[in-house]
Amino acid sequence: MKKIITILWLVLTVLSVRAQIMDPVHFTTQLKDLKNGEAELVFKATIDAGWHVYSTGLGSDGPISATFNSVKMDGAQPVGKLQARGKEIKQQDKLFGMEVRYFENAVTFVQKIKFTKPKYDIDCYVEYGACNDQACLPPSEVQLKASGASSLAESQPEQQISAADTSLTSPASTVSPAADFGSDSLAANLWTPVISELQAFNGNSAPTESMALWLIFIEGFLGGFIALFTPCVWPIIPMTVSFFLKRNKDRSKAIREATTYGLSIVVIYVLLGLAVTLLFGASALNALATNAVFNIFFCLLLVVFAASFLGAFEITLPSSWSTKIDEKSESTTGLLSIFLMAFTLALVSFSCTGPIIGFLLVAVSTQGSIVAPTVGMLGFAIALAIPFTLFAMFPSLLKSAPKSGGWMNVIKVTLGFIELAFALKFLSVADLAYGWHILDREVFLALWIVIFGLLGAYLLGWIKFPHDDDQHRTNVPQFFLAMASLAFTIYMIPGLWGAPLKAISAFAPPMNTQDFNLQKTVTEAKYKDYEQGMAAAKAEHKPVIIDFTGFGCVNCRKMEAAVWSDPQVADILNNKYILISLYVDDKTPLATPIEVEENGQKRTLRTVGDKWSYFQRVKFGANAQPFYVILDEKGHPLAGSRSYDEDIQGYIDFLNKGLK
């Protein structure tokens, strides 16, 4: 038992800190001579869990497609188009309004060529785009250089040449970036790296993931705490504690056994979280957040859970399971018997804990974190196990504990309303993905208004369900909960006419789905060139906010729709800052290609997007979008950086910090 707990603790405590520079795609390249006057240029990639690389031929209106580009093709010429090999995934994208194709885990891009001379000299590259659910990388390149004798020269053996991965993974540069884009002192100052200054503001780390895991733990803990007060769990606590006290004359031994019982509960539910993780895997969990089929399934699942809590039926496991486990616990001794007793509790209480556990696992699984289900179940199990140990240590507390009664059914019904509300959230994701427009923002809000209005009416005793007491009366806690529910209902009503409703912006569909909207807030950058924007900032004596974005950046569009549309955010960005949007996938050719050296390798910047992507890496040590940073007119940071996060108030605080 101790070994199991130790292993689980180690798994949960070894959490990585997200770095600013991301390198999720790793390439090897090869020229493969086919011995018939033709060859294949092979670009083979492995993709980190949670990331995906877009396929070929997606069109100009979609995300970044994989494309083949040649710098030099002496003695050879391309045949046909770039081919993508691997398990291609097709999915309707709600923001681009089109079907996109991409690869997870691995992909191989192959360009066929035909030799035209006995000797060849090739310099080429594949440009590709990669994203996860929180960030997109700028257009990246993997280069292949090869030279030698082709199969046209009969005396020469087959040539196979491998090139190392040339993806840029570090902000370090061996040349001054200002030297490449202007030699005047202003340019030199504006391009000077400020990575260490930015890290000082950020605290040298990006705590988003670890903070998210803590929030998941707290959510799980609250779920377990609520489960305690359901009719399937609360009455079992005094019975179980009394059993341990009666079967052991030695009170210290009774406390040890009750503690072991509590730890067994923790192990059982954490193993359940691990099972979900192992069953789906990291990439599958990451895909759940936007997969329409899964979201429809989750919606229906939560509706079933809600109906169960409202009294339509009970979700129970086969009684033979709990009977067999209970018999096994009686026929064994020691730690195994106590563990089997805890397992029996999990089976018997499933009709109440099952919907709560299901809701929790659905919610955390769609966040895409590989450890989220385990962390959530850890919090749930700890909350569930504490009373058994606490009451065993202090049996006198049982006398003051609330007695079982109709109030526990009120908790179940309240949870039913809440699960019904969250079911609509998952249906909304599917609705946006398929473009059905059956659950636009005002329809979603209307349903939530009805749900929480009915919840308030129930808590006041105006509505009754099958398992409620006939003489049920509203008590003081229910009265205050009813007030909160009805107040929340009234708060949502202005949203039907376009009020932003910041408190539920993370749940409601985006504002652009609103058919009737009285709010007309537009935020758009006046400058899309860094030097021009900085010159304007110096003339107007305003701070600068740089928005590293992309035409194919999904999460950039989400931020603009959910955060920039907020009136307060729009007012600050439009009137108090110089807003500069730099598109890292802008294909406009530079007047003159620029040679730079990065990570000991030379690279050519050919487009405006290449320039801004390189600028983001060398100056700020980051390569993902969206990425926001606030600067003074000399190019030094005034606050930390910010990435994808739809917390409107957090974004306002970020902007105000820069102004101060």
Side-chain angles (χ1 to χ4, degrees):
M1 181 71 68
K2 290 182 178 179
K3 290 183 178 179
I4 294 175
I5 294 172
T6 301
I7 292 172
L8 292 174
W9 180 81
L10 289 173
V11 169
L12 296 174
T13 52
V14 180
L15 301 174
S16 59
V17 177
R18 184 181 303 165
Q20 290 276 10
I21 285 290
M22 301 178 183
D23 181 28
V25 187
H26 315 280
F27 273 96
T28 59
T29 61
Q30 181 186 43
L31 185 148
K32 185 177 181 181
D33 197 328
L34 301 179
K35 294 294 187 179
N36 59 354
E38 295 182 334
E40 289 182 339
L41 304 177
V42 182
F43 302 80
K44 186 175 182 181
T46 57
I47 308 167
D48 289 352
W51 287 82
H52 57 265
V53 171
Y54 288 106
S55 188
T56 58
L58 298 181
S60 58
D61 295 331
I64 301 165
S65 303
T67 57
F68 175 78
N69 303 270
S70 61
V71 179
K72 182 179 182 182
M73 294 287 285
D74 186 14
Q77 63 183 30
V79 177
K81 297 181 179 180
L82 182 70
Q83 302 296 316
R85 299 174 182 174
K87 186 178 180 181
E88 189 177 69
I89 299 172
K90 297 180 180 179
Q91 181 174 310
Q92 186 71 20
D93 190 281
K94 59 182 181 293
L95 289 175
F96 289 114
M98 60 179 288
E99 184 180 71
V100 298
R101 295 174 285 110
Y102 58 86
F103 298 87
E104 296 178 343
N105 302 320
V107 62
T108 300
F109 296 110
V110 178
Q111 176 63 55
K112 197 171 186 179
I113 62 172
K114 180 179 180 180
F115 292 118
T116 57
K117 297 179 182 179
K119 292 187 177 182
Y120 61 85
D121 186 6
I122 298 173
D123 183 1
C124 61
Y125 65 93
V126 165
E127 184 179 73
Y128 64 93
C131 291
N132 67 4
D133 277 349
Q134 293 190 338
C136 287
L137 299 184
S140 304
E141 299 176 4
V142 54
Q143 192 173 31
L144 188 155
K145 292 184 178 180
S147 60
S150 69
S151 53
L152 295 179
E154 297 180 356
S155 60
Q156 295 296 327
E158 177 182 346
Q159 301 290 322
Q160 289 194 351
I161 303 175
S162 296
D165 179 7
T166 59
S167 61
L168 298 169
T169 61
S170 170
S173 176
T174 59
V175 297
S176 169
D180 299 306
F181 304 107
S183 57
D184 58 275
S185 59
L186 174 60
N189 289 333
L190 293 180
W191 280 74
T192 300
V194 292
I195 300 170
S196 58
E197 296 178 51
L198 203 57
Q199 287 178 342
F201 280 112
N202 287 335
N204 298 312
S205 65
T208 306
E209 182 174 352
S210 59
M211 286 300 294
L213 290 176
W214 274 111
L215 290 175
I216 290 171
F217 176 84
I218 293 172
E219 290 172 2
F221 188 87
L222 291 175
F225 183 75
I226 293 172
L228 285 173
F229 298 100
T230 58
C232 312
V233 179
W234 187 256
I236 299 177
I237 296 175
M239 294 169 55
T240 306
V241 173
S242 298
F243 170 78
F244 285 121
L245 293 175
K246 289 178 180 179
R247 96 170 195 172
N248 296 290
K249 295 181 179 179
D250 184 359
R251 186 167 177 272
S252 61
K253 185 178 180 181
I255 293 174
R256 286 198 302 271
E257 288 194 352
T259 303
T260 305
Y261 183 78
L263 290 175
S264 298
I265 294 174
V266 173
V267 171
I268 289 169
Y269 285 106
V270 169
L271 288 176
L272 175 62
L274 285 173
V276 171
T277 295
L278 295 175
L279 179 64
F280 289 101
S283 60
L285 288 176
N286 198 63
L288 294 181
T290 55
N291 186 282
V293 175
F294 274 111
N295 277 279
I296 293 173
F297 172 75
F298 290 155
C299 171
L300 296 176
L301 186 65
L302 291 182
V303 170
V304 171
F305 288 159
S308 173
F309 272 156
L310 293 175
F313 50 82
E314 284 194 0
I315 302 174
T316 58
L317 298 174
S319 58
S320 58
W321 293 10
S322 58
T323 302
K324 290 180 180 179
I325 297 296
D326 189 41
E327 292 175 353
K328 190 69 175 176
S329 66
E330 292 179 357
S331 62
T332 57
T333 58
L335 295 178
L336 181 59
S337 66
I338 297 174
F339 182 82
L340 292 175
M341 286 178 61
F343 196 43
T344 304
L345 168 70
L347 297 177
V348 170
S349 63
F350 185 80
S351 60
C352 291
T353 60
I356 299 175
I357 293 171
F359 174 71
L360 178 64
L361 289 177
V362 165
V364 301
S365 294
T366 54
Q367 298 191 24
S369 172
I370 188 66
V371 296
T374 307
V375 172
M377 285 296 96
L378 177 65
F380 180 90
I382 289 176
L384 204 63
I386 284 176
F388 293 96
T389 305
L390 187 63
F391 286 130
M393 292 180 176
F394 308 101
S396 59
L397 293 177
L398 283 171
K399 297 179 181 179
S400 57
K403 304 299 180 183
S404 301
W407 60 271
M408 291 186 294
N409 189 67
V410 174
I411 293 177
K412 283 184 61 178
V413 172
T414 301
L415 289 175
F417 277 106
I418 293 174
E419 294 209 346
L420 192 59
F422 276 93
L424 294 175
K425 165 61 179 174
F426 293 103
L427 180 59
S428 172
V429 174
D431 178 64
L432 290 169
Y434 282 113
W436 296 330
H437 297 291
I438 62 174
L439 201 62
D440 287 343
R441 188 172 184 268
E442 65 270 33
V443 177
F444 180 94
L445 291 175
L447 290 171
W448 265 39
I449 289 169
V450 171
I451 289 172
F452 285 96
L454 290 175
L455 174 58
Y458 169 77
L459 292 171
L460 290 174
W462 299 343
I463 301 174
K464 292 186 182 297
F465 286 92
H467 295 105
D468 286 322
D469 295 336
D470 292 334
Q471 298 180 349
H472 171 69
R473 297 178 62 183
T474 301
N475 55 38
V476 174
Q478 286 178 222
F479 175 76
F480 283 110
L481 286 175
M483 286 182 59
S485 182
L486 293 174
F488 182 56
T489 301
I490 296 172
Y491 165 79
M492 290 187 289
I493 292 175
L496 297 174
W497 293 274
L501 303 182
K502 299 177 184 179
I504 61 169
S505 60
F507 302 101
M511 189 71 75
N512 57 25
T513 65
Q514 185 99 10
D515 291 333
F516 182 66
N517 186 1
L518 298 178
Q519 305 290 323
K520 299 296 181 182
T521 303
V522 178
T523 303
E524 188 175 357
K526 295 180 181 179
Y527 300 95
K528 297 181 180 179
D529 180 90
Y530 175 59
E531 283 80 9
Q532 290 179 4
M534 294 302 290
K538 187 174 183 180
E540 299 180 31
H541 300 290
K542 287 184 178 180
V544 169
I545 180 167
I546 299 182
D547 161 38
F548 285 98
T549 183
F551 297 113
C553 174
V554 175
N555 290 315
C556 301
R557 303 293 85 76
K558 289 181 181 179
M559 287 293 292
E560 292 162 7
V563 180
W564 282 17
S565 61
D566 177 78
Q568 189 174 354
V569 173
D571 176 67
I572 297 174
L573 289 176
N574 291 329
N575 300 318
K576 299 181 180 180
Y577 276 100
I578 296 296
L579 175 59
I580 306 173
S581 289
L582 303 180
Y583 289 80
V584 298
D585 54 359
D586 189 338
K587 297 298 184 183
T588 304
L590 292 171
T592 304
I594 302 169
E595 291 286 339
V596 296
E597 187 172 337
E598 194 170 24
N599 300 328
Q601 297 182 10
K602 290 185 178 180
R603 182 186 175 185
T604 302
L605 307 181
R606 301 177 179 87
T607 66
V608 172
D610 289 344
K611 176 182 176 180
W612 301 139
S613 178
Y614 174 72
F615 170 60
Q616 183 184 4
R617 293 191 303 276
V618 297
K619 186 171 179 69
F620 304 110
N623 68 338
Q625 292 77 46
F627 183 81
Y628 309 99
V629 62
I630 297 173
L631 305 177
D632 62 18
E633 60 186 43
K634 295 182 180 179
H636 294 281
L638 297 172
S641 61
R642 192 171 179 87
S643 301
Y644 172 70
D645 188 344
E646 294 187 27
D647 177 8
I648 296 177
Q649 186 57 50
Y651 201 85
I652 293 173
D653 294 341
F654 165 68
L655 296 176
N656 287 335
K657 185 176 181 181
L659 293 175
K660 291 178 182 179

